[in-house]
Amino acid sequence: MSAATPMSLAEFEHALCAKGAYYHIRHPYHVAMYEGRATREQIQGWVANRFYYQVNIPMKDAAILANCPDREVRREWTQRLLDHDGASDEEGGIEAWLRLAEAVGLEREQVLSQELVLPGVRFAVDAYVNFARRATWQEAASSSLTELFAPQIHQSRLDSWPQHYPWIDPSGYAYFRTRLGQARRDVEHGLAITLQHYTTREGQSRMLEILQFKLDILWSMLDAMSMAYELNRPPYHSVTSERVWHKGIAL
């Protein structure tokens, strides 16, 4: 096969799945969580910081919808907003995450204030949302394909956390249980868009880079948390123990 020859659908899907080697389930911070070596502060820090990712997912999806002229795609993609924001008859993923925060001992108001969100996490998530706003809708939609690997990470938490962290209220695990099914459904839709859209070798290579970009986002978030909660070196640690970093000013 020459460098210009497109991969077959099977080869392209295999290349996408191979990116799972870089999924953040392999980050030492996450490994420590599912092996039972994380402290209460480390789990609380992860939950508080990951909340910023959760509340931005609907904004990412809304950007995709705003750029997408395909009615049928929009009709199906809209479900993702409802999954996170909730509908008239259900609370949604953001509310479920707040219940997780309460289950690990955080105050709901503190999590909602986002005062615990580290700047490295904020910058990474903001980069993802801004990418979705500027990219074509197909590229932004395909960037969500880290969902290929999401069921494994949700299941790892459901399997290990109750055993290792009995102090966590079991009601907090509802988010992970719900996302097991939602992620599998979303993968089918996102993968179909990706396989249909990227038909040239150049396009397929770009898509693999886009997927790596999303993996970089998730890994960088944990790098920031590792510095703050494992190495005890939060931002400005050598200057002050106060949380002086910015809290979300529009830039």
Side-chain angles (χ1 to χ4, degrees):
M1 178 187 296
S2 72
T5 303
M7 288 180 273
S8 68
L9 291 181
E11 289 169 335
F12 187 30
E13 184 173 350
H14 178 76
L16 292 168
C17 291
K19 286 290 187 180
Y22 310 109
Y23 193 50
H24 64 164
I25 195 173
R26 293 172 173 78
H27 192 287
Y29 197 98
H30 195 278
V31 172
M33 286 196 293
Y34 69 69
E35 288 186 349
R37 294 184 285 107
T39 66
R40 183 184 297 254
E41 180 193 23
Q42 288 163 1
I43 289 180
Q44 290 177 338
W46 177 78
V47 171
N49 277 272
R50 180 78 180 193
F51 179 71
Y52 188 66
Y53 180 85
Q54 301 304 132
V55 296
N56 274 277
I57 290 300
M59 297 174 65
K60 177 268 296 183
D61 288 325
I64 293 171
L65 289 171
N67 291 331
C68 179
D70 189 315
R71 177 171 176 263
E72 292 306 314
V73 171
R74 292 199 307 269
R75 284 161 62 96
E76 191 162 354
W77 204 272
T78 297
Q79 184 60 48
R80 299 181 184 231
L81 283 104
L82 298 177
D83 287 344
H84 283 81
D85 283 341
S88 58
D89 59 341
E90 58 184 34
E91 294 178 331
I94 292 175
E95 179 59 31
W97 197 271
L98 287 168
R99 292 179 182 270
L100 172 63
E102 293 173 327
V104 302
L106 292 167
E107 295 293 331
R108 181 186 184 93
E109 293 73 19
Q110 186 178 39
V111 177
L112 283 168
S113 74
Q114 300 178 11
E115 66 181 76
L116 298 177
V117 178
L118 298 163
V121 170
R122 191 180 296 276
F123 292 151
V125 174
D126 289 353
Y128 182 37
V129 176
N130 287 332
F131 170 79
R133 288 171 175 157
R134 297 193 309 268
T136 67
W137 72 266
Q138 295 98 331
E139 290 180 339
S142 296
S143 71
S144 298
L145 272 184
T146 46
E147 291 162 341
L148 282 165
F149 324 117
Q152 179 186 5
I153 208 169
H154 295 315
Q155 191 64 57
S156 76
R157 295 160 187 155
L158 290 170
D159 290 343
S160 64
W161 282 29
Q163 172 189 354
H164 295 309
Y165 311 111
W167 52 270
I168 298 178
D169 188 328
S171 64
Y173 297 130
Y175 177 87
F176 304 137
R177 294 190 185 95
T178 301
R179 283 303 297 167
L180 279 173
Q182 291 175 347
R184 294 188 179 102
R185 178 208 65 206
D186 292 346
V187 163
E188 291 183 10
H189 188 214
L191 188 58
I193 291 172
T194 299
L195 295 178
Q196 180 180 8
H197 178 67
Y198 299 96
T199 58
T200 67
R201 188 62 176 232
E202 180 181 9
Q204 291 168 341
S205 296
R206 175 166 174 76
M207 177 51 220
L208 290 170
E209 277 296 297
I210 289 171
L211 184 54
Q212 186 62 57
F213 163 73
K214 175 64 181 303
L215 291 164
D216 294 349
I217 294 292
L218 298 172
W219 196 275
S220 296
M221 291 169 62
L222 289 178
D223 280 349
M225 289 181 240
S226 183
M227 286 291 292
Y229 307 123
E230 288 186 319
L231 301 181
N232 298 314
R233 297 178 65 180
Y236 306 102
H237 69 280
S238 60
V239 178
T240 178
S241 60
E242 297 181 10
R243 302 186 190 108
V244 298
W245 54 85
H246 76 287
K247 306 300 190 295
I249 183 173
L251 298 174

